[in-house]
Amino acid sequence: MGNSLLGKTILITRSAGQSSEFTKLLTGHGANVVEMPALEIQPPSSWADLDAAIAQLDSFDWLFLTSANAVNFFFNRLTALGQDPAIVRQIKIAVVGQKTAHFLTQRDFTADYIPPDFVADSLLTHFPEAPQGKRILFPRVESGGREILVQAFTAKGADMTAVAAYQSGCPSTIDSTALEALTMAKVNVVTFASSKTVKHFCQLLKQALGNQWQSILDSVIIASIGPQTTITCREKFGRVDLEAAEYTLPGLTQSIVDFYHSSNNHTQS
């Protein structure tokens, strides 16, 4: 891909086990990557609501899957209950984002609907049929998720069943290598791919460094994957330095490359 990020150290805050794709994208441009997991993906506190929904899956018109985690936990639970995944073919599936669609195809399913914008809000804007009277199953994160989808589709007359399929918590301690890189001012860019990673990052730094934690970010570029994450960055840091034009990991990578490309051109001119 080139060496456009050669000499730059980029810290990524995705959960352990979810960072490899992003790491490959960044190192492909020559960057040095430091991983600081700010999410732990776990089963929900109870499977009861999801199990009840799966038991009556054929009564739903649509299944909404808005993340790779939702895809994996939903289908894994289906299998754990002894259900044939083929029963999902009786209903339509809507996903948000090409990555979620990719995880769905790994389960041998193809999404019936993918909105053009890679954000959950666009599901309603471009929905292919009238939501009124439609029964929609929405397996999602147990807490901290945005309510916009449930509220918007309910307002349009849909019967939304939102159930906990997984939980994303904050790790108990900060990664020591990441903390050292930050405190020694070795990090050029910190990236965030969700609002939760922003909140947990702040929590982990405050836990490790006390109330002065923000000062170590003074010369660090804050990079966001999209609008909602940007809002949280502004709430927590008072700024965001760049936002991905396309709300994906490749899009975020390209925005970092473009940022340094324009910075270099500005310096030379």
Side-chain angles (χ1 to χ4, degrees):
M1 292 184 203
N3 292 318
S4 47
L5 297 178
L6 194 65
K8 305 301 180 186
T9 295
I10 299 176
L11 187 143
I12 63 179
T13 55
R14 291 172 65 73
S15 65
Q18 286 193 315
S19 57
S20 59
E21 176 197 353
F22 197 17
T23 296
K24 287 177 184 175
L25 287 168
L26 292 167
T27 55
H29 286 282
N32 174 47
V33 173
V34 175
E35 297 184 7
M36 178 188 152
L39 277 180
E40 284 183 347
I41 308 301
Q42 307 155 338
S45 58
S46 169
W47 291 110
D49 291 342
L50 180 58
D51 289 356
I54 287 173
Q56 51 174 334
L57 197 58
D58 59 358
S59 71
F60 290 97
D61 300 294
W62 283 88
L63 171 65
F64 282 5
L65 299 169
T66 59
S67 70
N69 287 321
V71 173
N72 288 336
F73 276 89
F74 174 78
F75 280 98
N76 288 348
R77 189 59 185 170
L78 204 64
T79 303
L81 293 172
Q83 294 275 14
D84 183 349
I87 65 170
V88 180
R89 301 194 190 282
Q90 301 173 33
I91 61 179
K92 295 176 182 176
I93 305 175
V95 304
V96 173
Q98 293 299 330
K99 184 180 179 186
T100 309
H102 172 69
F103 273 82
L104 188 63
T105 59
Q106 289 184 327
R107 303 279 182 165
D108 294 324
F109 286 85
T110 303
D112 296 281
Y113 171 56
I114 308 174
D117 301 316
F118 301 146
V119 286
D121 308 44
S122 66
L123 262 178
L124 181 66
T125 308
H126 304 281
F127 202 62
E129 60 184 28
Q132 186 169 4
K134 300 298 180 185
R135 291 204 71 207
I136 299 170
L137 175 59
F138 181 24
R140 62 174 181 171
V141 68
E142 183 170 342
S143 61
R146 296 177 64 232
E147 295 297 319
I148 182 68
L149 270 186
V150 176
Q151 293 169 353
F153 273 89
T154 300
K156 291 285 187 178
D159 179 3
M160 288 286 286
T161 300
V163 294
Y166 65 96
Q167 178 62 291
S168 58
C170 184
S172 56
T173 58
I174 192 169
D175 179 88
S176 58
T177 302
L179 181 60
E180 181 183 4
L182 285 164
T183 54
M184 298 296 288
K186 294 177 180 177
V187 174
N188 301 104
V189 183
V190 178
T191 64
F192 297 101
S194 71
S195 288
K196 272 198 174 182
T197 57
V198 179
K199 294 172 184 176
H200 293 169
F201 174 84
C202 297
Q203 182 179 326
L204 288 166
L205 272 189
K206 186 175 181 180
Q207 186 178 300
L209 301 172
N211 291 329
Q212 304 305 310
W213 65 270
Q214 278 187 296
S215 63
I216 69 169
L217 300 175
D218 288 346
S219 61
V220 176
I221 302 301
I222 305 293
S224 160
I225 199 169
Q228 294 305 319
T229 305
T230 291
I231 290 170
T232 310
C233 284
R234 289 198 173 115
E235 288 172 356
K236 295 295 185 181
F237 308 121
R239 65 184 169 97
V240 68
D241 300 295
L242 66 91
E243 178 184 295
E246 180 184 279
Y247 313 144
T248 63
L249 294 177
L252 181 52
T253 302
Q254 189 59 49
S255 292
I256 296 170
V257 169
D258 293 344
F259 175 86
Y260 278 110
H261 180 71
S262 64
S263 296
N264 289 340
N265 286 347
H266 181 73
T267 303
Q268 293 165 7
S269 59

